[in-house]
Every structure is written in structure tokens, then in C-alpha cells.
Amino acid sequence: MITTVKRVMATLFTAAVVALPVQAAVPQAAAAAAQSVSSKSDITVYVDGKKLAFSQAPVQKKGTTLVPMRPVFNALKAQVTWEQQTKTIIASKGRTTVTLRVGSSTAVINGKSVKLSAPAEVIGGSAMVPLRFISEAFGADISWNAKTRTITIESLEYQYAAQRDNEANAGTASPAKPAAKPLTPAQIVELNDDKVVMIMTDYGQGSGVVIGDQWILTNYHVMLGATKGQILLNDGSQLDIQGVAVYDESADMAIIRTTEPIGVEPVKIGSWISSRKGDRVYAIGSPLGMQNTISEGLISNFVNNGGIRYLQISVPIDHGSSGGALFNEYGELIGITSSGIEDTVADLNFAVSILYYQWLAEDLEEVKKQPASIAFLPSKLPATLKNASTEDIAALLNEQYSEIMTTQGYADLEKWNVSRDAEGWLVISTVMDPGFYMIYGDKASNELRLWALNLGAELKRMLPNEKIQFLVYYEQTFNAKPRGFETSEVTQTQSGKWQVRYPIIDMQILERLHIKVRD
């Protein structure tokens, strides 16, 4: 399986709001309440080598360090604005836009929700956010020195500059291995082919990389929805998967455990910071089930999307490549192949930086103490919807199925409605973004069909005794009456305008599923 990176990555919306100091917007009551937390702190913060001065110092609450958002983001050269009416902070840097509301434990990065370890709050007139959120938002590296109680934050630009300075001072030409000789593709295969596996679950097929005797690194979405699975080794042997040990949904990365030892040496982890645009890289994975296929290309660019670092690569990958290995010229793992944009000749593919594995590895040490607790990811859908109200069913579907991921981009769904008709059928309907349908509907028709069939199977599982009709509509309003439609598809509204509405997907769920898709 391979996930499609949203096309909006290159054209992000920047909110036009008036920049106001956060302090000026904080209600007096909130500011007064915040005084219960001392503004004095022995925590020191450095950003890109410079010590920051705060009107409100960092604080620690229940094990979470909260830092002032505005001065830190400003030091990272991000633009910060304040929307007074909704008490919302908006920060932008390059292609990344962050939205965070005071009091909320969720932030939005480029349209994607990110869970905070603690809610954002106002203390001493400053908006305070969890320390790790700084990294999640703009890809900065964070370190904590408990002895000196010092927080060090380094932006991506700062790290690159430091790396280049080190190279210049050392007089070296190669950023990754000054004294090493790049390997040939055949040597890359000889070194790593056995360390990449194919993953087969009851939900799909992907790839994975051996990082320990019973541990496989892969994409989170490879394991999403699976309830059982196996890995297939290069020698043809198979091992059952016990479950997912640790994962980071936002970084699309997970570590799984096999029920038995793998018996293969783990890969060598490389340094993401030493990678350069233009470097040659190699992918090994199982595109379309073709086990352990190697392909090569270049690092085309570096992308920070939704606070996650990706290597944009020209290496060919396909469905089934997700979770596979991306190696540098020295045979070191520097990324996990995860996504791509199809219907283009530009080879726009992406790998998640190996940086996120390093964070998961820390969490894994705790999980290793209780290996029996490792299990497959819990389903986001209930076991049954029996006795659920139509409103509850509509809310669930809106929460879990509000967009359809296709190789053409994401099709948003809204206006979910569930009702029961005179013949006892449960009728479920929603409306697709008309812009997506008009541009990509014909190219995405097969994917829409497969998406609907998967949803139909879940509805039948949760509502086994129901007769269900599922409809996805195209809906658009015009000033004049459009031509060329069936009479039933065009109606005049009370305002005198004309609405076109017809089903794009019409699926009936009985003892079997029947589906029609309108191109």
C-alpha cells in the first residue's frame, strides 16, 4: 500500500489576520488565574545557540514542560498572529501553517490534527505549549539537559549550517562518510536485501525493515485496520506478527514485533542530517507484491509537511512499497518509503525521515519490559452499531470517513445524513466536494468504488441485519437552470437559484453488495 501525499502541500493557505500581541488579548480573569503558577523558573532555553529572554519563563506541569510559544516561534523565524475572537494562535513558516487554540489539547498543522501532551494555556499573559510541540510544528530538534535544566532547540536550517561548517573546517567532501567509499547497487543489495521483509495482513500488503531480533520498522498505515498478519523473509520463510509495539501516527511510523526471532542482522541506521539534495539513494521494498525490489534515484528535495520531515525522492515506488527501506550510498537506513503522487512523470515520491524512528526507539525500551501487552492497533470503528441512533451513525461516519484518499488527492465528504425510509431501508448519504469530482472524478472512479466497497463491508459487519443504501452525491448550485440533466436532478431553491444533485456512488448492502459509480 502507498499513501498519497496531499497535493495542497505546495499551495498552502495562509490565514490573513491582524497580528496582535498575545498578552494584549488575554482576558484579565485568565491572566489573574495564571498567577497561581510562578513566572520564576530555573529552566534556560536556547534557540539556535542564542539564549532567549521571557516575560514568562518555562514551567513544568505533571511531567510536561510548557514553553512560551510566541518568543520561541519568533526565534525559529516563524510568523505568529493572534485571532482575538476565537483565542487562536496562527503560526506560519515556509509551507507549514500551525493553528492552536488556547485551552485545546489539539493543534492543527497544515490541516491535520495533532494531539498535544497537555493543553495550551495562558500563564502570566503568555500562551504556553508543550515543548515537544515545537518540534512537531516546524521540525526543530529538541534536547533537555536535566543536570543544567537547559532546553536546546535547533531549527532545521541551523543544523544544516552547523553540518556544513563542520565539513568545511574538516576539509571533507562527503557529508555522510568522509573516509568511506560509496557502495554499488549490488553491494547495497548484498548488505541489506535480507533485512527488508514483505508484510502481509488481513487488510493489505506492505514492506518493513528489520531493526532487531523480533522487531520490524514500517509505516503506521501498513498496520492500520489489520487484526492479524505475517512477515515474509527473503528466504521464503514466514513469521507471524504479534502486534504493534509503538507507533507515531503523525509521522506514519510503527514498530511491530514478530512472535518468533527473525534471525537476521538489523540494518544500520544512518544520519538524516548528513543527507543532501542530489544524493543518490536506493529503495528496497515490495511494490505490487514484487518482493524486495530495488530501485534507485536521487534525493530531489526535503519537505516539511504537517511538522513531519520527508525526503522527496525520484526513486520509483508503488503500492506495496510503504514501510520499505530507503538507503544512502553507504547502505545506511535514512528513511521509510511511505507516499507518492501518481499520474505524473516527475517521480514525486516520499520517505519519512529516520529521525522519527529514533524517538520510537526510546519508547520501545519501555514496551520491551512487557512484551505480552503488544497487540494490533485497536479499531477506530465499534464492533456493532446495533441500537445506535441515526444521529450517532451519522456522527461516526463523519468522524471516520470525512475524506477519501485517492491517487489524485483527497475528496472531502460533508453533509452526512442517516434516515430510515418507508420500506425499512437505512439510507446513508453524504456530499462530495464538487471541485474534486469535476476535475478528478473519472480518473478516481475505480478508487472511489474500492473505497465504497470497503466501507460497505464495515457497515455490513456493524449492521448485519439491516438493508442499507449508501449514496454519495454531487451537489452544486447555479444562478440559471443548467441543461442536460435528468428532471429529477435539477430543482429550484426558495431563493430562485437552481440546484443540481445526483448520486456519484449508489451502493446497496443486502446479503451481497451492489455498487454503481458515475464517472
Side-chain angles (χ1 to χ4, degrees):
M1 58 185 72
I2 180 169
T3 303
T4 303
V5 173
K6 286 190 178 181
R7 293 179 182 271
V8 297
M9 263 173 53
T11 54
L12 295 179
F13 171 77
T14 301
V17 294
V18 179
L20 293 173
V22 174
Q23 289 85 343
V26 178
Q28 293 299 320
Q35 297 304 316
S36 60
V37 179
S38 173
S39 62
K40 295 181 179 180
S41 172
D42 59 349
I43 298 175
T44 305
V45 179
Y46 287 86
V47 175
D48 289 349
K50 297 180 180 179
K51 183 178 178 180
L52 296 189
F54 302 112
S55 58
Q56 167 61 51
V59 299
Q60 290 183 321
K61 282 190 169 185
K62 298 180 180 179
T64 297
T65 301
L66 301 174
V67 296
M69 181 174 176
R70 176 181 283 274
V72 173
F73 275 13
N74 283 342
L76 290 171
K77 296 181 173 59
Q79 295 182 343
V80 183
T81 57
W82 170 257
E83 208 288 309
Q84 165 66 18
Q85 186 174 359
T86 60
K87 303 296 184 291
T88 299
I89 304 163
I90 301 172
S92 61
K93 180 180 180 181
R95 296 176 176 178
T96 301
T97 299
V98 178
T99 304
L100 176 65
R101 187 166 59 184
V102 170
S104 174
S105 59
T106 301
V108 178
I109 303 177
N110 286 353
K112 185 175 182 179
S113 296
V114 175
K115 188 73 173 177
L116 302 178
S117 57
E121 59 179 291
V122 173
I123 300 176
S126 296
M128 309 287 283
V129 296
L131 176 61
R132 184 172 177 179
F133 175 65
I134 304 294
S135 177
E136 292 175 335
F138 294 116
D141 268 355
I142 307 291
S143 62
W144 163 252
N145 188 318
K147 185 176 181 180
T148 62
R149 296 185 63 76
T150 300
I151 297 168
T152 301
I153 303 173
E154 294 183 348
S155 67
L156 190 60
E157 299 89 342
Y158 182 82
Q159 294 170 64
Y160 280 142
Q163 179 71 22
R164 300 297 174 258
D165 289 344
N166 290 338
E167 294 166 14
N169 293 335
T172 58
S174 170
K177 290 268 187 175
K181 182 179 180 180
L183 303 179
T184 66
Q187 290 171 325
I188 297 284
V189 171
E190 183 179 2
L191 179 65
N192 289 307
D193 205 24
D194 290 341
K195 302 171 185 178
V196 181
V197 303
M198 184 160 71
I199 296 177
M200 300 169 294
T201 73
D202 55 350
Y203 199 79
Q205 177 261 314
S207 305
V209 186
V210 178
I211 57 169
D213 198 27
Q214 286 183 266
W215 309 101
I216 302 290
L217 179 64
T218 186
N219 283 137
Y220 170 84
H221 75 259
V222 170
M223 302 306 299
L224 186 62
T227 59
K228 58 183 178 180
Q230 295 178 316
I231 66 164
L232 178 62
L233 298 173
N234 210 22
D235 62 4
S237 59
Q238 297 183 8
L239 294 175
D240 289 334
I241 298 172
Q242 177 186 341
V244 178
V246 291
Y247 64 89
D248 185 337
E249 183 176 359
S250 62
D252 194 17
M253 196 171 282
I255 297 175
I256 63 176
R257 187 177 192 261
T258 57
T259 56
E260 300 176 39
I262 302 169
V264 174
E265 287 294 318
V267 295
K268 185 175 182 180
I269 305 299
S271 171
W272 68 269
I273 193 65
S274 63
S275 301
R276 297 183 302 180
K277 186 175 180 178
D279 281 354
R280 185 158 296 279
V281 286
Y282 302 87
I284 299 180
S286 299
L288 303 179
M290 304 299 291
Q291 186 178 4
N292 282 38
T293 296
I294 184 171
S295 55
E296 65 176 317
L298 304 175
I299 296 179
S300 306
N301 213 338
F302 295 95
V303 178
N304 188 339
N305 186 40
I308 303 300
R309 296 172 187 165
Y310 294 90
L311 290 79
Q312 181 186 331
I313 55 177
S314 64
V315 183
I317 57 177
D318 208 322
H319 300 273
S321 296
S322 286
L326 185 72
F327 297 107
N328 62 19
E329 290 183 292
Y330 307 97
E332 299 169 329
L333 185 70
I334 60 171
I336 297 296
T337 54
S338 62
S339 54
I341 297 176
E342 299 188 17
D343 195 27
T344 174
V345 296
D347 284 329
L348 301 176
N349 298 314
F350 302 87
V352 183
S353 169
I354 199 61
L355 164 69
Y356 301 99
Y357 158 71
Q358 297 166 354
W359 291 350
L360 285 182
E362 297 176 6
D363 297 335
L364 183 62
E365 293 306 311
E366 290 298 318
V367 176
K368 285 181 178 179
K369 299 175 183 178
Q370 296 180 318
S373 65
I374 297 172
F376 283 86
L377 295 170
S379 174
K380 294 184 177 182
L381 297 174
T384 180
L385 286 175
K386 184 179 179 181
N387 299 325
S389 67
T390 55
E391 291 81 6
D392 289 342
I393 295 174
L396 174 69
L397 294 174
N398 182 57
E399 178 183 358
Q400 298 297 330
Y401 293 95
S402 60
E403 60 184 15
I404 306 174
M405 183 181 65
T406 78
T407 55
Q408 306 304 317
Y410 282 70
D412 293 329
L413 301 176
E414 57 182 16
K415 297 182 181 180
W416 285 87
N417 182 67
V418 180
S419 61
R420 193 173 296 279
D421 67 13
E423 297 179 2
W425 283 69
L426 194 66
V427 180
I428 303 173
S429 65
T430 183
V431 176
M432 180 181 291
D433 172 19
F436 177 90
Y437 176 67
M438 293 299 294
I439 299 172
Y440 303 116
D442 57 338
K443 294 180 180 179
S445 61
N446 286 334
E447 293 172 281
L448 296 178
R449 184 187 306 273
L450 290 174
W451 173 86
L453 288 172
N454 285 332
L455 172 58
E458 292 289 356
L459 289 172
K460 185 170 179 58
R461 175 187 64 80
M462 294 183 289
L463 296 164
N465 300 318
E466 291 281 2
K467 297 180 294 183
I468 303 173
Q469 183 176 23
F470 174 69
L471 299 159
V472 177
Y473 283 100
Y474 164 84
E475 185 178 284
Q476 193 78 287
T477 301
F478 301 90
N479 291 329
K481 184 177 181 180
R483 295 179 176 181
F485 296 95
E486 297 292 334
T487 303
S488 60
E489 296 175 346
V490 181
T491 56
Q492 191 170 22
T493 67
Q494 291 183 347
S495 63
K497 296 186 178 182
W498 295 88
Q499 183 185 75
V500 176
R501 178 182 168 94
Y502 57 80
I504 302 168
I505 299 173
D506 186 347
M507 178 171 60
Q508 297 183 33
I509 306 171
L510 297 166
E511 70 278 5
R512 290 182 297 275
L513 275 66
H514 175 74
I515 185 171
K516 293 188 297 183
V517 177
R518 182 166 174 171
D519 295 339

